Amino acid sequence: MPLRILSLDGGGIRGLIAAKMLAVIEKQLNQPLNKYFDLIAGTSTGAILATAIATGCSSQEVIDLYRQKGKIIFPYQSRFSWKRLPLIWQYGISAPKFSEDGLIQVLQETFGTTRLFDISQPLLLVVAYDTINREPIIFKNWRKDKAYGNVPLWEVCVCSTSAPTYFPAHKLDKTVQGTVIAASQDTITLDQKATVGERVYEKLAVKIIDGAGKGQERIIRDYCGYLRQGKLNLPWDTIPNHSSTYVIKSIYSAIDGGVAANNPSSCAVAEAVKLGYPLSEISVLSLGTGDPTRVITLNQARSWGLLQWAQPLVGVVIDGTSDVNEYITQQIIGDRLLRLQFKLDRQLTGKRLSDDIDDVTPENINNLIEATEVYMNQPHIQRAVEKFFQTPQVMQTLNSPLIPDQK
C-alpha cells in the first residue's frame, strides 16, 4: 500500500515559507492536509507546523499564528535588550537569548490539552535531541511503548524547538522500563533499555514492578554506564533476577531536533520502511524554510574562536543536517521526492529576506510570504508540484487506512 510523507524543516519564523507553500498546495488539493498525507514529519518550527496540520489546522491558520504570535515567541531582536535581564540573572551572561515562557504560552494556546497519542491519523513524527544521552528523541504517535509516554503536544513541540543559544533546554519526564539482567545484595544490572551514560541514574529510584523482588524500591547511589550497573543505597530484601521488571523515572534534556535532522525526511522514510512499506511505494514532499545566504568567509572560518563561532555555529550545524538528510532521501527514493526550497536572496522579489530565525519584523514576515508566493507561481515549480501529485504512488493512497504495528 503506497505511503505519502510530508516532511517539514526547521527554521524559526522562516517556517512561514513552508506554511505558505502548504497553503498554495492545500488550495490546489481542495482537501485537508491531514486527510491527504499518511505520515507528517517535522523538526523545530516544522514540528509546530506538522503538529498543527496533524490536528486539523489549515495552513492559513498556521500563517496567522506566525504573524500574530511570533512576537511573543521572539519578543526582541538584540541580545542586549533589557527584557533579557531576568535570563542573565538566572543563567549568567552567556544565557540563552530568549526565555521559553513565550514559546510555551503560544504552544499551549494552540494545542491545549491534546496529547501525542490522541492523534490516530495521520502518523506524526517529531524530532528533538537529548543532551543527556546524546541521541535523538523521535516522537511517534504510534509508539505507545516509548519512554516519553503520552506527552502533551505543546511539550513535544517545545522539545523540538528549543534551539541552543536561543532557548533553554527543556526538561521532559522519561520512564525507562526494562528487564533486570542480574543483581546482587546491593547492585542491579539493567538491560539495553537503560542508558550507557555515566552517572545518569545516580540519586534516582529504581523500582521492581514485576517478578522476583516485586514492590521493592531503592536509590541508585552510583551508576556505571558502560556496565549498565547501579550500586544501591540499601541492600535488597529479595534479590531481583532475570524474571524481574524494573522502572526508573528519569528525564530528557531536550533541545532543537535540528542539530540531528533539521530536515526529517530521511527519518520519516526510515520509519516507513520499518513499518513495512516498500521503497517503491513511498513518496515524500519535503518543504524547506529558505536556504541561508549569509557568507562565512575563509578568513573568518580560519580565525574565529569560541566567541565568534558561538552564534553562527548553530546555524551552520542545522543547515548542514538539512542538506545531508535531503541527500540521503534523494538517494533512497529518487524522483519520488519533491523538495521545495529557495535561496534567501533578492532573486524572487528584489526584497531582503533575513537568514535569522527570530526576525519577526513585519517587513521580513511580509517579504518571506511574498517571496514564497512568487516561488510557487513559477511555471517550473507549478509543473513539478502537478507532476508529483499525479504520480501513482500519490494518487492511490487517498483514504487508505493506516494501522501501524508497534515497531
Side-chain angles (χ1 to χ4, degrees):
M1 182 176 65
L3 184 85
R4 292 177 304 192
I5 294 172
L6 173 61
S7 174
L8 302 163
D9 283 20
I13 195 63
R14 294 178 357 226
L16 272 165
I17 293 173
K20 185 60 183 179
M21 289 175 177
L22 281 178
V24 173
I25 291 169
E26 191 173 17
K27 186 176 180 179
Q28 293 174 351
L29 293 175
N30 194 29
Q31 183 179 5
L33 295 172
N34 68 331
K35 303 297 183 183
Y36 195 87
F37 289 98
D38 303 307
L39 192 163
I40 303 178
T43 299
S44 195
T45 196
I48 299 175
L49 181 52
T51 304
I53 295 298
T55 56
C57 293
S58 69
S59 305
Q60 186 57 50
E61 287 177 297
V62 181
I63 293 172
D64 293 341
L65 172 69
Y66 283 120
R67 275 187 177 277
Q68 297 167 11
K69 299 187 177 182
K71 196 71 175 175
I72 298 175
I73 299 173
F74 304 114
Y76 44 84
Q77 288 190 280
S78 172
R79 286 183 177 270
F80 299 102
S81 169
W82 64 268
K83 295 179 182 179
R84 187 168 169 258
L85 287 177
L87 282 171
I88 294 175
W89 281 113
Q90 183 175 3
Y91 299 116
I93 193 64
S94 61
K97 185 173 182 179
F98 304 107
S99 163
E100 65 177 358
D101 293 348
L103 176 64
I104 290 175
Q105 175 190 331
V106 170
L107 293 174
Q108 287 181 334
E109 290 172 353
T110 303
F111 299 116
T113 59
T114 306
R115 291 177 174 269
L116 182 62
F117 301 153
D118 293 341
I119 302 174
S120 56
Q121 295 291 334
L123 304 181
L124 175 64
L125 182 154
V126 171
V127 182
Y129 188 83
D130 178 23
T131 66
I132 294 175
N133 288 300
R134 303 292 286 268
E135 63 185 16
I137 311 167
I138 311 295
F139 294 99
K140 293 173 275 191
N141 65 337
W142 66 96
R143 289 300 302 268
K144 295 179 173 60
D145 60 319
K146 287 294 187 178
Y148 43 74
N150 194 15
V151 61
L153 289 178
W154 68 262
E155 198 163 18
V156 171
C157 292
V158 172
C159 290
S160 185
T161 55
S162 295
T165 76
Y166 288 93
F167 296 104
H170 183 74
K171 176 185 174 182
L172 178 68
D173 290 338
K174 176 181 184 180
T175 301
V176 181
Q177 182 173 323
T179 302
V180 174
I181 297 300
S184 67
Q185 194 67 47
D186 61 353
T187 69
I188 185 169
T189 302
L190 309 175
D191 65 358
Q192 292 187 348
K193 297 287 185 65
T195 183
V196 294
E198 294 297 320
R199 306 181 68 180
V200 170
Y201 296 150
E202 288 183 6
K203 299 183 181 180
L204 298 183
V206 56
K207 184 173 183 178
I208 306 302
I209 60 173
D210 201 8
K214 179 179 178 180
Q216 296 180 101
E217 182 173 299
R218 297 292 184 270
I219 303 298
I220 298 174
R221 62 177 176 82
D222 185 49
Y223 183 74
C224 179
Y226 80 95
L227 293 176
R228 294 191 175 93
Q229 185 179 83
K231 294 181 179 179
L232 309 174
N233 65 326
L234 295 171
W236 296 111
D237 296 328
T238 301
I239 298 176
N241 57 35
H242 59 82
S243 72
S244 306
T245 301
Y246 70 88
V247 66
I248 298 173
K249 299 290 187 181
S250 182
I251 60 168
Y252 295 102
S253 167
I255 63 171
D256 196 307
V259 302
N262 198 52
N263 171 348
S265 60
S266 64
C267 300
V269 170
E271 290 296 333
V273 171
K274 193 175 180 181
L275 288 169
Y277 293 91
L279 286 173
S280 60
E281 295 189 356
I282 298 171
S283 59
V284 179
L285 174 63
S286 176
L287 304 185
T289 58
D291 197 4
T293 57
R294 190 171 294 147
V295 174
I296 298 175
T297 68
L298 174 62
N299 285 339
Q300 288 173 322
R302 283 174 62 87
S303 62
W304 279 358
L306 179 63
L307 290 178
Q308 295 94 334
W309 271 113
Q311 189 67 33
L313 184 60
V314 176
V316 171
V317 170
I318 289 176
D319 295 338
T321 70
S322 285
D323 295 338
V324 167
N325 281 278
E326 178 188 354
Y327 173 80
I328 293 170
T329 305
Q330 179 70 61
Q331 296 303 308
I332 292 173
I333 65 171
D335 60 6
R336 292 184 303 284
L337 166 69
L338 176 60
R339 173 71 169 169
L340 298 180
Q341 173 80 306
F342 59 81
K343 287 277 188 183
L344 293 170
D345 54 24
R346 297 176 183 266
Q347 289 292 322
L348 291 169
T349 63
K351 298 178 181 178
R352 173 184 172 273
L353 305 177
S354 176
D355 285 5
D356 296 331
I357 67 172
D358 59 344
D359 187 345
V360 293
T361 59
E363 177 189 13
N364 187 53
I365 287 175
N366 291 333
N367 289 352
L368 291 173
I369 292 174
E370 182 183 350
T372 307
E373 290 174 340
V374 172
Y375 174 79
M376 293 298 289
N377 283 325
Q378 293 179 110
H380 72 284
I381 297 298
Q382 291 179 329
R383 287 194 298 270
V385 171
E386 183 179 0
K387 179 181 177 183
F388 177 81
F389 285 105
Q390 287 180 348
T391 58
Q393 289 84 2
V394 174
M395 296 300 291
Q396 292 175 21
T397 56
L398 278 170
N399 303 318
S400 299
L402 285 173
I403 307 176
D405 295 327
Q406 295 292 305
K407 297 183 178 179

